[in-house]
Amino acid sequence: KAGVTQTPRYLIKTRGQQVTLSCSPISGHRSVSWYQQTPGQGLQFLFEYFSETQRNKGNFPGRFSGRQFSNSRSEMNVSTLELGDSALYLCASARTGSVYGQYFGPGTRLTVT
Amino acid sequence: QKEVEQDPGPLSVPEGAIVSLNCTYSNSAFQYFMWYRQYSRKGPELLMYTYSSGNKEDGRFTAQVDKSSKYISLFIRDSQPSDSATYLCAMTDADNYGQNFVFGPGTRLSVLP
C-alpha cells in the first residue's frame, strides 16, 4: 500500500511570492492534515480537512490556506511568503477523522530567500 | 511559558538501557496524548496514544499519563540502536484533532551499541 506522498520535495521561493504544496493521502483515507516544522518552533498544526471540509485550524495567519478535493488529495497555499515561512511542511492522512490514526508523509522542504 | 514542555535532551544511552522521556503541559483541557518517533529526514510516526490518565504498554514501550500533575512519560525498555530518533509528545482536547493540537519540542535520543 502506497504511503502519503508530497510534491514537490524541495522548493526555493523568493519573499513575497506564493507557493502551493500538494499531498496525496493513502488510498481510502478521508482526512488530511498539514503541519509546519521549524527548528525554533517545532512541529505546529496548521489545519485538517475531512471530506473536503476544514474541521480544525491551528493558530496561523490567513496567508496559510488549504483545500481538499473530492478524491481526498489536498493542497496547501502560502501567499506573500516571508523568510520565516522557511520550514518543512508535512501532511498526514487518516482513514477516519481521528488524530490517532494519522500517517505522515516525508514533507516538502520550503526555503524562502 | 510554552503550552507543552519536553526534556530538551539530547539524550545518549547505552544499548539495553531503560529510557524515560517526559513532557509537562499547562492546559487542563487536554485529554488525548500521543508519542511520535521521527527519524532524520522522515515524517513522524505514531508510537503510542492514551486517553486521559493511566498507563498503556506495547512491547518495549510504555506510556504514562498523570493528568493531576499534567505530566506524561514514555518509557523504552531494552533500548536498541534503531530507537535512535527524535521523540515528540503531542496532545489535544478532542480525538478529531480538536481546537488545540500541540506538540512538544522533541527529545533527540541516541542509543549507542
Side-chain angles (χ1 to χ4, degrees), chain A residues 37 56 97-100 102 104, chain B residues 32 36 38 46 95-96 98:
Chain A
Q37 188 170 34
N56 296 287
S98 172
V99 70
Y100 290 156
Q102 58 178 343
F104 279 84
Chain B
Y32 299 83
Y36 289 84
Q38 186 173 21
L46 182 65
D95 75 339
N96 65 345

Side-chain angles (χ1 to χ4, degrees), chain B residues 46-64:
Chain B
L46 182 65
L47 270 179
M48 300 281 288
Y49 60 88
T50 53
Y51 169 70
S52 195
S53 286
N55 293 358
K56 186 173 183 179
E57 188 173 321
D58 184 3
R60 297 185 296 110
F61 299 91
T62 299
Q64 286 186 352

Side-chain angles (χ1 to χ4, degrees), chain B residues 52-89:
Chain B
S52 195
S53 286
N55 293 358
K56 186 173 183 179
E57 188 173 321
D58 184 3
R60 297 185 296 110
F61 299 91
T62 299
Q64 286 186 352
V65 175
D66 181 348
K67 287 192 66 183
S68 62
S69 303
K70 297 191 179 68
Y71 189 87
I72 70 171
S73 299
L74 177 71
F75 297 95
I76 306 174
R77 291 184 298 280
D78 187 25
S79 56
Q80 303 295 308
S82 58
D83 295 327
S84 298
T86 296
Y87 290 80
L88 302 156
C89 64

Side-chain angles (χ1 to χ4, degrees), chain B residues 90-109:
Chain B
M91 51 200 75
T92 184
D93 52 6
D95 75 339
N96 65 345
Y97 295 81
Q99 299 304 309
N100 195 10
F101 182 27
V102 293
F103 290 79
T107 299
R108 182 173 293 179
L109 171 66

